[in-house]
Amino acid sequence: MNQEPQANFKDYPLQLLKPSYDSPLTDILFELEHLRRVKLAVTTPEHIFKQIKRIFQKQESLGSARIEGNRTTVSDYLQMDQNSNALLASQKE
């Protein structure tokens, strides 16, 4: 009979943190919690923001590409991206 090995489970008692409220770390935590709720107001038009975002995403993709292990070259990637943008534009019409 083929038996699977059983995992050994060790129970660890969990404890809640009791922060010291006079600690500088506590001040930072409260400030971070406040910043989570802050709504940012932007002055950049949405279409320009999206274009800039796409540019940075393309730069990140090119920067992190491992071209040596892949047969896709930078020019192939840019050509493929340009073709997909043209296809999207034609579908909007």
Side-chain angles (χ1 to χ4, degrees):
M1 296 178 104
N2 191 5
Q3 291 183 344
E4 302 229 357
Q6 291 186 345
N8 293 329
F9 178 77
K10 185 169 182 178
D11 188 29
Y12 291 98
L14 299 177
Q15 298 177 359
L16 292 176
L17 293 175
K18 296 178 185 174
S20 170
Y21 286 97
D22 60 346
S23 166
L25 181 59
T26 306
D27 293 336
I28 293 170
L29 291 173
F30 279 118
E31 189 174 336
L32 286 172
E33 183 63 28
H34 170 73
L35 290 174
R36 285 180 45 189
R37 292 182 176 86
V38 173
K39 299 283 186 202
L40 297 177
V42 294
T43 57
T44 306
E46 186 176 352
H47 69 281
I48 293 175
F49 176 80
K50 287 182 178 181
Q51 288 175 350
I52 293 171
K53 181 180 173 184
R54 262 187 265 129
I55 290 170
F56 281 112
Q57 287 174 336
K58 287 177 188 177
Q59 284 180 331
E60 184 178 354
S61 294
L62 289 172
S64 65
R66 297 181 185 177
I67 295 170
E68 295 81 21
N70 190 346
R71 295 184 182 191
T72 303
T73 63
V74 173
S75 62
D76 291 338
Y77 171 78
L78 292 174
Q79 184 66 38
M80 180 178 61
D81 186 60
Q82 189 176 26
N83 290 341
S84 66
N85 286 341
L87 180 62
L88 288 174
S90 68
Q91 290 176 348
K92 287 182 180 179
E93 294 175 354

